[in-house]
Amino acid sequence: MSLYGASTEYVLHSLLWLVDHPEPVSSLDLAELQGIPAAFMAKLLPKLEKAGLLRASEGLRGGYQLAKSAEAISVLDVVDAVEGEKRLFNCQEIRGRCALFEDHPPSWATQGVCGIHHVMLRAEQAMRQELAQTSLAALAKSVRGKAPPPFLDAAQSWFAERAQTRRTSKVRQQRRSAPR
């Protein structure tokens, strides 16, 4: 079982497209580009808007834009906005339930933070620190470094074409004429 789900992955991928894209991008386009239902994306992006990471605008030219610079948004900001502040480990205080204690654990067994819980807290702290020090800009640079320039150019052209189509209302015409 993973700690963070597909929602986080889809949102991070979506935000990477917004890093160098000054114009608003529709949630429909972000969903379509990734092959996921538009309704799913439409549920996720308002969480980022509420967290102050995205700014939304309405209308044919509307969509989502980063609300602050990509350098000022950490991966942890995004994860917390999408997932909430999930704890890595939920200690059940099992150490006090040993059958040898006969329902009366000695203080030495339950004193202080559980050793297992302590290790898990340190691991969570390290993970959150890593996510906090990785900016959206750094992540975008890393991801874009793997893609060939023609792909990045094609993606930007795809978004521009989609935006132009919306502006000229061809999206509505295409939907009306599409077979049902």
Side-chain angles (χ1 to χ4, degrees):
M1 183 174 87
S2 61
L3 178 64
Y4 302 128
S7 298
T8 297
E9 185 176 5
Y10 285 127
V11 164
L12 284 167
H13 277 282
S14 294
L15 293 179
L16 294 179
W17 291 112
L18 300 181
V19 168
D20 292 325
H21 202 282
E23 297 293 318
V25 176
S26 80
S27 61
L28 176 65
D29 291 350
L30 292 168
E32 197 167 304
L33 184 68
Q34 298 178 80
I36 62 171
F40 181 61
M41 184 61 70
K43 281 189 339 187
L44 296 174
L45 297 182
K47 292 179 179 184
L48 299 171
E49 185 181 8
K50 184 177 179 182
L53 304 177
L54 288 180
R55 182 175 45 245
S57 55
E58 295 182 13
L60 289 176
R61 296 174 189 256
Y64 288 93
Q65 296 173 279
L66 296 180
K68 38 184 153 172
S69 74
E71 291 81 12
I73 300 173
S74 74
V75 173
L76 182 62
D77 293 333
V78 176
V79 168
D80 284 348
V82 174
E83 303 281 352
E85 291 190 32
K86 288 184 177 178
R87 297 290 110 200
L88 183 61
F89 181 73
N90 185 18
C91 185
Q92 300 297 309
E93 290 295 334
I94 293 170
R95 63 189 175 153
R97 297 186 198 145
C98 179
L100 300 176
F101 298 155
E102 298 177 357
D103 293 329
H104 296 90
S107 62
W108 62 261
T110 58
Q111 188 174 3
V113 176
C114 167
I116 294 168
H117 191 188
H118 181 69
V119 168
M120 296 297 188
L121 287 172
R122 285 195 342 251
E124 180 178 347
Q125 183 179 29
M127 178 189 69
R128 290 183 65 80
Q129 182 178 352
E130 181 63 30
L131 295 174
Q133 66 189 21
T134 304
S135 72
L136 191 56
L139 182 60
K141 183 178 180 183
S142 169
V143 170
R144 288 196 174 124
K146 294 180 180 184
F151 171 76
L152 299 174
D153 294 342
Q156 291 301 336
S157 294
W158 187 85
F159 278 115
E161 182 180 309
R162 300 285 297 193
Q164 183 60 33
T165 300
R166 262 193 316 285
R167 285 185 196 112
T168 59
S169 301
K170 289 181 183 174
V171 169
R172 287 188 225 163
Q173 292 169 0
Q174 288 171 350
R175 286 189 185 148
R176 284 187 208 133
S177 64
R180 293 178 195 233

